[in-house]
Amino acid sequence: MQTAARNKSEGAASGKIWNAAFISIFIANAMMNLGQQMVNTLIAKYADYLGAAATAVGLLAGLFSATALFFKLFSGPAMDSFSRKKLLMGAMALMAFCYIGFGISSSMPMLMFFRLLEGTARAFTATGCLAIASDTLPAEKFGSGIGIFSLAQGACQAIGPTIGLTIYRYIGYNNTFFLAAFCVALGVIATGLAKIEEKEHKQFKITLSGVAAIEAIIPAILLFLFVGTYFTVSSFIAIYGTDMGVVNIGLYFTVYACVMLVSRPIVGKLSDKFGVVKVMIPAAICFALSLFLISIATSLPMFLVAAAIAAFGYGTALPTLQALAMKCVPSARRGAASNMAYIGQDLGNLAGPVAAGFVVEALGYRLMWKFMMLPMAAVLVLLLVWNGKIRTIESDFQARGNS
């Protein structure tokens, strides 16, 4: 059996974050996420436009997570066995095809089919991007580097819905889906231009440790709670704002983006200096507060205040936890660790909107937003319980360096 071996990137060896490989994968990640986020908000609104019930809207919003979870049986081992670059390019191309499929869909069954197929692509895209980016970073700047890298994802999570919600008014749902496919296609090109050194690979084999690194279970659970809550916001806030008579609710995502772009690099440095737990506790509190403000909001300014506070909550928690997942294992197993992190996120994507949809039908939107504060309470409890284990993970990573 061949052993996995990869050269340290020039950036990791020299202590630089902004090296050529990092820049290429940063751009690819940005274009892919821009297309994803344009779709994520519009797919729920499009289903509502087609007459789907709230539970069906919630199911469609998170449906891709079902196939994403299944195909993670293959994506983790594949990322640690074959060319991460080629796998990522193929997965992005499949994602672009699915968005074209959304554009030609005229019924819920068609939408659900392409949403499920999209999950196949997502099983490889996020895992590949995070694993490749991690290999380019020096250990002493790891948290900062992941924080910077995640700006592409975070900014697109914020501006993508605004762009999608604005553009569809002029060119319609279908053409907006085509535009999202074009953005992802640009990501394929950027990935192809990345100069990533890869040497020998181990034989492909599906094992439990290859599919998901159990060492990264703590960040995966915390990601499940955060992502499930955030995906509820991105799936339902456009519908909720419209029902409330709020004009330009898409500005929620714009404000979120602006605040997050400032806060996220700072938080990455704070995480490197003070540790994960001291960053995550205020993040969970801020996110819970933003949900409470949404539940009592009656005007656009109140929604925008909630967006700013959410940027200090979810906006800073995501890269901090992703970096923690990468710290749990050596470089050769980052495909499995990335898989574990995204399994947590996929489960959150699936469970959050579905649970919220049931609460909406039973209790209404206002109580649903307050109900979604419960996962943040669980995060606070778990951080206190796992404080010692998280500190050990961080100290072990520093001891071995980014290898």
Side-chain angles (χ1 to χ4, degrees), residues 6 20-21 24-25 28 78-93 124-125 127-133 135 187-198 201:
R6 290 182 176 84
S24 294
I25 201 65
M79 285 293 172
D80 288 336
S81 300
F82 306 119
S83 169
R84 291 174 179 171
K85 176 179 172 178
K86 292 179 181 178
L87 286 171
L88 182 58
M89 291 177 66
M92 284 186 179
F124 291 86
T125 53
T127 297
C129 282
L130 183 57
I132 292 172
D135 287 340
V188 177
I189 296 173
T191 303
L193 295 175
K195 295 182 179 180
I196 302 167
E197 294 186 8
E198 295 179 300
H201 304 282

Side-chain angles (χ1 to χ4, degrees), residues 40-104:
N40 279 347
T41 298
L42 277 187
I43 197 73
K45 194 170 178 63
Y46 187 43
D48 184 66
Y49 168 78
L50 292 177
T55 49
V57 171
L59 177 62
L60 181 65
L63 191 61
F64 69 89
S65 298
T67 45
L69 282 170
F70 174 77
F71 279 96
K72 277 185 168 55
L73 291 172
F74 307 95
S75 65
M79 285 293 172
D80 288 336
S81 300
F82 306 119
S83 169
R84 291 174 179 171
K85 176 179 172 178
K86 292 179 181 178
L87 286 171
L88 182 58
M89 291 177 66
M92 284 186 179
L94 178 59
M95 183 178 292
F97 171 76
C98 291
Y99 294 166
I100 293 173
F102 292 157
I104 63 175

Side-chain angles (χ1 to χ4, degrees), residues 230-276:
Y230 177 80
F231 209 66
T232 297
V233 176
S234 65
S235 297
F236 285 101
I237 199 165
I239 299 172
Y240 179 58
T242 301
D243 290 346
M244 293 286 292
V246 176
V247 180
N248 295 325
I249 188 63
L251 288 175
Y252 173 95
F253 299 101
T254 303
V255 170
Y256 174 93
C258 293
V259 176
M260 184 208 61
L261 287 172
V262 175
S263 65
R264 187 166 279 187
I266 296 173
V267 172
K269 293 181 180 179
L270 292 175
S271 176
D272 285 334
K273 185 175 182 179
F274 298 109
V276 169

Side-chain angles (χ1 to χ4, degrees), residues 189-343:
I189 296 173
T191 303
L193 295 175
K195 295 182 179 180
I196 302 167
E197 294 186 8
E198 295 179 300
K199 297 183 75 175
E200 294 180 350
H201 304 282
K202 65 184 181 182
Q203 182 179 354
F204 177 77
K205 185 178 180 181
I206 297 177
T207 63
L208 182 59
S209 62
V211 170
I214 194 65
E215 301 96 317
I217 188 65
I218 289 177
I221 291 173
L222 296 174
L223 282 166
F224 165 76
L225 294 169
F226 267 100
V227 173
T229 304
Y230 177 80
F231 209 66
T232 297
V233 176
S234 65
S235 297
F236 285 101
I237 199 165
I239 299 172
Y240 179 58
T242 301
D243 290 346
M244 293 286 292
V246 176
V247 180
N248 295 325
I249 188 63
L251 288 175
Y252 173 95
F253 299 101
T254 303
V255 170
Y256 174 93
C258 293
V259 176
M260 184 208 61
L261 287 172
V262 175
S263 65
R264 187 166 279 187
I266 296 173
V267 172
K269 293 181 180 179
L270 292 175
S271 176
D272 285 334
K273 185 175 182 179
F274 298 109
V276 169
V277 174
K278 290 183 178 179
V279 170
M280 290 301 303
I281 289 177
I285 293 173
C286 284
F287 198 20
L289 177 59
S290 73
L291 293 166
F292 176 76
L293 290 177
I294 292 175
S295 75
I296 63 173
T298 57
S299 63
L300 181 61
M302 294 182 71
F303 280 101
L304 300 186
V305 171
I309 295 175
F312 283 100
Y314 177 79
T316 58
L318 186 65
T320 302
L321 293 173
Q322 287 178 333
L324 180 63
M326 296 297 97
K327 291 177 180 179
C328 292
V329 298
S331 177
R333 297 195 64 233
R334 287 215 174 113
S338 181
N339 229 18
M340 175 61 84
Y342 280 104
I343 285 172

